[in-house]
Amino acid sequence: MEPTRSVLDSGALPNDHEDARLIRLYEEQGGEVRDLIYLSLGETWTAVAPGLAASLTDPLPAHVHGYTLSPYGLPALRDGLRAYITRTHQLLGAGAAPYDVAVSQSGTRAAMSDFGRLLLSDGAPSDGAPTALAPAPGWDYSGVLTPLGYRMRFYTLAPAQGWQPDPEEVASLLKRAGRGCLLVLNPQHNPTGANWAADRVESIIGAAAAHHAAVLLDDAYYALHAPGEQPTNALRILVEEMPRTSAPWLATRTLGKQFHCNGWGLGALTSRPAILAELARYTQERSYGCALPLQAAMATWLRKEEADAFLEGLRREYAAARRQVADRLRRDLGFPPDAVHVGTCSAYLRFRVPTRFVRDGSEAHYRRLCVAAGVLPGAGSMTVPADAPSGRLGPPAAYVRLFLGQPGHVLDEALDRLARAGLGW
């Protein structure tokens, strides 16, 4: 794991990040952190798109070292992102509703939080906290929305259905949630790698419109799919469907995942102009804009054919890594086929923890054993375990996920370490 101190060290200050805690434990037990293979978050710290990094050395306009008076991001990047989103989501002529695009300037997580605040400012339901419906397993939407006062409820993604959402279940939850509900969608799904079927997404968005529910579309991995696959274009469905209702909606798409520049905090926000204007008020509560030199470099990069070529190469690399890791989990570590969901999108592969390593329905014990072997996998879900659905599906299984962005020989070494430690099936 390199560079360790440069990204981990908090000095004497506390660091509650679970991965940081596990890494410190590894150190305390005599492990050499430089040898730890980190496969938890979608991060390498070394694989930024070369052309994008090179764009930082190009002469930058003097004005990008000052404030921007536009709350929607540096105008050059805002305009470039609008063209990019329109092109990559095939939005030209799609639907009658107006939409526009703004820059997410401090990470899409912050934009999600701002959207949640905006919905609350429109009035909370009279019977108490508003409801947010999110997929389980899933990303840490609870960590964003619960502090704002939302009551989290989850719709189930089951392995027997290929980790696809059930439109009837979502419609039922929307009906029970009532006024002020926020529906979260993540069609190129983290952590399972499943691409949700277009007809299911269309049905769910139609139900949201019928119940006047707000929609938050997390499009973090829209661009990261297997070569030749057509990812479900939920944004286009939103643009076509939501004119039937005045309910607010927001689509977030990070650029960090597809260009390996998570630390830049840049992405695209797509919505109705009125929603973007309301969100901009929250942006200006914090700052007059940030990272403008990075925004200028990204604006230059997005205009280059090299950006599309890098992304296409990344898709091929992830697809090859999926095949490699899935094959070795099954062949060399003895995992049955149904314990490994290969997926076709996102940057991860998820597999079921062998039953003998599961404690209290959690993957935590297995993760600690993996760390002792010199490998740090990610948790199989970032939803709150106590809130995750089980019920009709029986006892919840435990899972971990592996980030696929490391070189092939590093992934092989990680799997060799797990095999030597007896952490296979």
Side-chain angles (χ1 to χ4, degrees):
M1 178 181 174
E2 293 281 4
T4 307
R5 298 296 174 198
S6 301
V7 300
L8 178 66
D9 188 23
S10 301
L13 297 172
N15 185 343
D16 294 331
H17 197 290
E18 176 66 11
D19 286 356
R21 190 186 66 78
L22 288 172
I23 292 168
R24 291 302 188 207
L25 179 62
Y26 179 71
E27 280 188 307
E28 291 167 4
Q29 295 175 345
E32 174 53 64
V33 179
R34 286 179 298 180
D35 295 331
L36 180 66
I37 299 177
Y38 185 78
L39 300 176
S40 180
L41 293 178
E43 182 60 84
T44 67
W45 292 287
T46 59
V48 60
L52 177 59
S55 68
L56 289 173
T57 65
D58 295 340
L60 294 173
H63 64 265
V64 303
H65 298 287
Y67 289 134
T68 175
L69 299 185
S70 169
Y72 305 104
L74 188 72
L77 180 55
R78 181 200 66 220
D79 294 344
L81 275 177
R82 192 182 198 284
Y84 188 75
I85 292 296
T86 298
R87 173 172 64 87
T88 58
H89 287 272
Q90 302 91 47
L91 293 181
L92 287 175
Y99 70 91
D100 213 324
V101 180
V103 181
S104 173
Q105 303 182 64
S106 55
T108 51
R109 186 183 183 102
M112 293 178 185
S113 179
D114 287 347
F115 187 57
R117 289 176 61 198
L118 170 61
L119 299 179
L120 293 179
S121 71
D122 290 338
S126 58
D127 59 348
T131 297
L133 301 178
W139 185 75
D140 186 29
Y141 304 108
S142 299
V144 176
L145 297 172
T146 299
L148 299 177
Y150 284 87
R151 176 180 57 238
M152 298 301 301
R153 295 291 182 267
F154 298 98
Y155 55 94
T156 305
L157 308 178
Q161 283 74 49
W163 309 107
Q164 298 283 325
D166 179 353
E168 292 185 4
E169 180 193 15
V170 177
S172 176
L173 289 169
L174 285 167
K175 183 178 181 179
R176 284 184 299 198
R179 177 175 172 268
C181 181
L182 169 60
L183 173 65
V184 181
L185 301 175
N186 181 211
Q188 286 71 47
H189 184 247
N190 171 13
T192 67
N195 182 53
W196 294 355
D199 59 344
R200 291 179 182 246
V201 173
E202 187 170 359
S203 179
I204 289 170
I205 290 176
H211 290 282
H212 202 73
V215 176
L216 172 60
L217 171 59
D218 179 5
D219 254 345
Y221 294 101
Y222 176 74
L224 294 180
H225 52 82
E229 176 170 308
Q230 183 61 48
T232 292
N233 191 348
L235 177 54
R236 179 164 181 149
I237 296 171
L238 264 178
V239 169
E240 293 175 340
E241 186 71 29
M242 294 310 273
R244 304 180 189 180
T245 174
S246 59
W249 59 272
L250 175 69
T252 65
R253 180 170 165 184
T254 176
L255 298 173
K257 300 294 185 292
Q258 64 189 59
F259 298 132
H260 281 310
C261 60
N262 290 323
W264 289 34
L266 297 179
L269 306 177
T270 306
S271 188
R272 296 189 181 102
I275 295 296
L276 296 178
E278 292 291 331
L279 291 174
R281 294 196 180 99
Y282 294 119
T283 300
Q284 289 209 309
E285 287 179 7
R286 293 189 294 267
S287 74
Y288 287 122
C290 61
L292 297 183
L294 298 182
Q295 292 190 43
M298 183 63 75
T300 298
W301 168 249
L302 286 178
R303 293 194 299 266
K304 295 181 177 180
E305 292 182 1
E306 186 183 354
D308 288 339
F310 175 85
L311 188 53
E312 186 57 38
L314 195 60
R315 291 173 185 144
R316 292 194 296 270
E317 291 172 11
Y318 280 145
R322 284 183 190 284
R323 293 190 296 269
Q324 172 187 348
V325 171
D327 180 61
R328 292 214 52 200
L329 284 171
R330 294 163 177 165
R331 184 188 69 228
D332 299 333
L333 281 88
F335 282 82
D338 66 353
V340 181
H341 183 76
V342 182
T344 60
C345 58
S346 87
Y348 307 100
L349 184 143
R350 188 171 183 259
F351 63 89
R352 195 162 75 238
V353 174
T355 305
R356 68 185 184 280
F357 298 123
V358 177
R359 302 287 185 273
D360 299 322
S362 168
E363 79 288 336
H365 176 64
Y366 186 70
R367 287 185 79 206
R368 287 193 292 270
L369 294 175
C370 291
V371 171
V375 181
L376 179 47
S381 177
M382 297 176 74
T383 53
V384 180
D387 291 334
S390 53
R392 63 186 176 85
L393 300 175
Y399 292 81
V400 295
R401 69 177 189 176
L402 298 181
F403 173 56
L404 299 172
Q406 296 288 359
H409 71 276
V410 174
L411 296 174
D412 272 334
E413 174 60 24
L415 296 170
D416 287 343
R417 293 181 184 184
L418 297 184
R420 288 195 297 266
L423 295 174
W425 196 261

